[in-house]
Amino acid sequence: MLVVIVLLQLIIIGILLNINGKLKPRDYIAEAMERDRKLREEREKQQRMEALSHESSDKDEDPL
């Protein structure tokens, strides 16, 4: 019984290694840089929107 379990585990490991070999390798650095670029753009966009809203509220409050 133990031999059957070990044999099945080896077969499963072989199948998983075969599937893993077919996948294209991920470029973790490129993915991280892309994520960072998107976050930075969102942050800059948000800061620009806040600056514009502050400018428009300043103009509304300024009676001159």
Side-chain angles (χ1 to χ4, degrees), residues 13-64:
I13 290 172
I15 291 170
L16 290 174
L17 288 173
N18 187 26
I19 291 171
N20 190 38
K22 291 180 181 179
L23 296 174
K24 70 175 190 170
R26 292 175 59 179
D27 189 357
Y28 293 101
I29 295 173
E31 290 177 11
M33 290 177 69
E34 180 67 19
R35 252 191 334 269
D36 183 55
R37 183 185 62 79
K38 287 180 181 179
L39 288 172
R40 192 178 312 114
E41 287 175 355
E42 284 295 320
R43 194 177 322 120
E44 290 172 355
K45 181 180 177 183
Q46 184 179 9
Q47 288 174 350
R48 283 194 301 267
M49 295 299 288
E50 288 175 358
L52 288 174
S53 68
H54 288 301
E55 288 177 7
S56 64
S57 66
D58 290 344
K59 289 179 183 177
D60 293 340
E61 293 175 2
D62 191 12
L64 299 177

Side-chain angles (χ1 to χ4, degrees), residues 2-18:
L2 182 62
V3 174
V4 173
I5 293 172
V6 171
L7 183 64
L8 289 174
Q9 286 180 337
L10 289 174
I11 291 171
I12 291 171
I13 290 172
I15 291 170
L16 290 174
L17 288 173
N18 187 26

